[in-house]
Amino acid sequence: MNSVPIAFPASPAWSRSPTLSPGPSSAGDEGRSPAGGEGEQPRSPGNANGVPPLPRAGEGQGEGRGEGSTPYHATPVAHLLDGWLNEAVSLGASDLHFEPYPAFYRIRVRIDGVLHELARPPLVLREAIAARLKVLARLDIAEKRLPQDGRLQLRAGGPVPRVVDCRLSTLPTLAGEKVVVRLLPDASQVPALDAVGFEPEQLAAVLHALGRPHGMVLITGPTGSGKTVSLYSLLARLDDGSRNLCTVEDPAEIALPGINQVNLNERAGMTFCNVLPALLRQDPDVLLVGEIRDAATAAIAVRAAQTGHLLLSTLHTNDAPAALVRLADLGVPRWQTASTVHLITAQRLVRRLCQCRLPDMRTASAMAQAGVGDDALSDDRPLWRPGGCASCRQTGYRGRCAVHQVVPVSEAMRELMRVNAGAARLAEQARREGVLSLREAGLRKVRAGLTSLDEVLAATAP
């Protein structure tokens, strides 16, 4: 997705002083300011409203330099990096992208699923920034030819200081190492199940499936659709102290108190295939498998669900009925899938309208052109479109909400599975049973004023 200009708040990112761990700060960091110099570093439109200008390399040197002025090449990279990371936390970003190109270097943040440019430091800092991030994540700073993955913690300042867990990934590119830092939510940010975004009838179906002592519950959707958070919400609902809950993840993104979480490590031989059998000997009641990605994991997961365990997992499919066919493609016999899977949900994330929303006055013909029939938005409630204010940084959106398709696997669907029915026939049967499609569930969010019609049409496009 292309970057979008964004208006940032006026407070300088580095006026606050978060600390990062592990990794010591550079000597002489204390009391030094990165701001300075009389000229301004050229900035993108995204930085035009308040992000402080970054001085050019060598700027402010020589006689007559202001007392607080510091040339860019002498500014501690650690201090600059603290400022960018802290700014990302304050903006509610989910990811930071540190991107080198042949002619420039830029830093972008992902907010509500959309990338926005945060800063353009001088290109000469690309190696120093990458090295500092790798030190913090305990990675090999000498290895620049292969991708690496690590973790670090950011102690972010602000009105309520907090520790943010981060996952870091490096990737060698033609212009240098690209680094992506994922800012992970903590356990307190996992929503309750009734706040995940299910419609009332969908929530009832999910609770019924969670009440069963064994079987499989699957969540499907593309990368970045919120499947992991939904899985954790299901798991938190089951954590009443009377069950042994275990997870196998790659990686474990959120540490959940009271739940036994296993982080995979393929270099050490900790894979899904050898950890899952070991977990089955740990007397589990509920198992969470981060993702069913190959035939071996699928076979073990199905066996666990058939032997008295409730198993929660994810798959990559476009909608819920297609998950049944996907398991067959992974080598699971259809009769086993039919007898094991109790419920499948598919989900997408759409941006939530800010309070500055405006009425959407588009005509019925425009609706039909967009693929929305008269019956889809039949009541008299107004539609809304994004506005723009300081609170949402002129985007018109603030936060995201999930759109769900929930398919309980009925006896009729099981019979279709046994006769090798395809995804289209399974989807048709689900519609006959009153299951909402992703588009229909999204239009309910539109009618409720939570999101815009354009967001739902984009997120649920076939």
Side-chain angles (χ1 to χ4, degrees), residues 26-30 32-34 70-81:
S26 302
D29 283 7
E30 239 178 89
R32 299 181 70 175
S33 169
T70 306
Y72 219 130
H73 67 78
T75 300
V77 168
H79 193 64
L80 289 171
L81 194 55

Side-chain angles (χ1 to χ4, degrees), residues 188-227:
S188 65
Q189 295 174 287
V190 176
L193 192 57
D194 53 4
V196 169
F198 292 115
E199 300 296 328
E201 65 271 29
Q202 294 176 336
L203 180 60
V206 170
L207 291 175
H208 178 72
L210 293 181
R212 306 185 70 157
H214 54 79
M216 188 181 291
V217 174
L218 295 174
I219 299 179
T220 71
T223 301
S225 60
K227 299 188 299 296

Side-chain angles (χ1 to χ4, degrees), residues 279-426:
L279 271 185
L280 293 177
R281 296 190 289 271
Q282 291 284 314
D283 186 32
D285 296 295
V286 180
L287 287 170
L288 184 152
V289 177
E291 180 186 346
I292 297 177
R293 60 179 64 166
D294 53 40
T297 305
I300 299 172
V302 168
R303 190 174 76 224
Q306 287 181 318
T307 54
H309 308 92
L310 181 62
L311 188 133
L312 315 175
S313 191
T314 69
L315 274 174
H316 286 282
T317 61
N318 290 330
D319 59 12
L324 296 170
V325 179
R326 174 65 177 152
L327 286 174
D329 293 340
L330 288 173
V332 179
R334 285 176 172 259
W335 64 268
Q336 274 191 320
T337 301
S339 61
T340 303
V341 180
H342 295 322
L343 181 113
I344 309 165
T345 77
Q347 70 178 62
R348 301 290 189 274
L349 291 178
V350 295
R351 290 182 291 174
R352 188 187 295 267
L353 285 168
C354 180
Q355 60 187 3
C356 63
R357 64 186 186 177
L358 300 172
D360 190 340
M361 306 304 293
R362 72 182 77 191
T363 63
S365 61
M367 295 281 197
Q369 198 172 21
V372 180
D374 294 337
D375 56 337
L377 299 168
S378 55
D379 57 26
D380 295 329
R381 284 179 288 181
L383 304 184
W384 301 92
R385 62 180 176 85
C389 66
S391 179
C392 62
R393 301 174 297 275
Q394 306 303 323
T395 63
Y397 297 99
R398 191 174 184 184
R400 289 192 287 181
C401 59
V403 173
H404 300 272
Q405 179 189 32
V406 176
V407 179
V409 181
S410 64
E411 194 56 43
M413 296 187 75
R414 297 185 201 282
E415 288 300 322
L416 287 174
M417 279 297 299
R418 294 186 182 103
V419 297
N420 296 328
R425 287 186 63 190
L426 291 168

Side-chain angles (χ1 to χ4, degrees), residues 75-349:
T75 300
V77 168
H79 193 64
L80 289 171
L81 194 55
D82 283 357
W84 293 322
L85 290 167
N86 193 88
E87 188 69 20
V89 172
S90 68
L91 290 169
S94 61
D95 303 87
L96 284 95
H97 292 241
F98 297 85
E99 303 171 321
Y101 295 95
F104 64 95
Y105 189 92
R106 73 177 174 186
I107 300 169
R108 294 193 290 174
V109 291
R110 188 178 295 278
I111 303 172
D112 297 336
V114 181
L115 283 170
H116 306 274
E117 192 165 292
L118 178 65
R120 284 204 181 192
L123 186 59
V124 295
L125 291 183
R126 60 184 174 184
E127 292 188 4
I129 291 172
R132 174 63 179 167
L133 286 167
K134 289 199 287 187
V135 166
L136 294 169
R138 300 184 186 275
L139 300 180
D140 183 357
I141 63 172
E143 180 55 77
K144 301 179 182 180
R145 300 168 300 172
L146 297 174
Q148 298 187 72
D149 295 291
R151 295 180 80 106
L152 59 93
Q153 283 191 329
L154 164 65
R155 290 182 175 85
V160 183
R162 63 190 181 97
V163 175
V164 180
D165 286 321
C166 305
R167 193 173 75 224
L168 184 143
S169 171
T170 71
L171 181 69
T173 69
L174 293 176
E177 284 187 287
K178 181 180 187 290
V179 183
V180 175
V181 178
R182 166 67 59 88
L183 305 176
L184 302 173
D186 57 34
S188 65
Q189 295 174 287
V190 176
L193 192 57
D194 53 4
V196 169
F198 292 115
E199 300 296 328
E201 65 271 29
Q202 294 176 336
L203 180 60
V206 170
L207 291 175
H208 178 72
L210 293 181
R212 306 185 70 157
H214 54 79
M216 188 181 291
V217 174
L218 295 174
I219 299 179
T220 71
T223 301
S225 60
K227 299 188 299 296
T228 299
V229 172
S230 294
L231 269 183
Y232 286 162
S233 295
L234 298 180
L235 205 60
R237 181 72 180 218
L238 294 167
D239 185 20
D240 58 3
S242 65
R243 299 180 178 94
N244 179 18
L245 283 69
C246 304
T247 78
V248 187
E249 303 169 75
D250 183 22
E253 293 196 352
I254 305 175
L256 299 173
I259 294 173
N260 305 292
Q261 294 175 268
V262 178
N263 204 32
L264 296 185
N265 185 345
E266 292 192 2
R267 290 183 180 179
M270 289 273 287
T271 63
F272 277 119
C273 295
N274 57 26
V275 171
L276 272 176
L279 271 185
L280 293 177
R281 296 190 289 271
Q282 291 284 314
D283 186 32
D285 296 295
V286 180
L287 287 170
L288 184 152
V289 177
E291 180 186 346
I292 297 177
R293 60 179 64 166
D294 53 40
T297 305
I300 299 172
V302 168
R303 190 174 76 224
Q306 287 181 318
T307 54
H309 308 92
L310 181 62
L311 188 133
L312 315 175
S313 191
T314 69
L315 274 174
H316 286 282
T317 61
N318 290 330
D319 59 12
L324 296 170
V325 179
R326 174 65 177 152
L327 286 174
D329 293 340
L330 288 173
V332 179
R334 285 176 172 259
W335 64 268
Q336 274 191 320
T337 301
S339 61
T340 303
V341 180
H342 295 322
L343 181 113
I344 309 165
T345 77
Q347 70 178 62
R348 301 290 189 274
L349 291 178

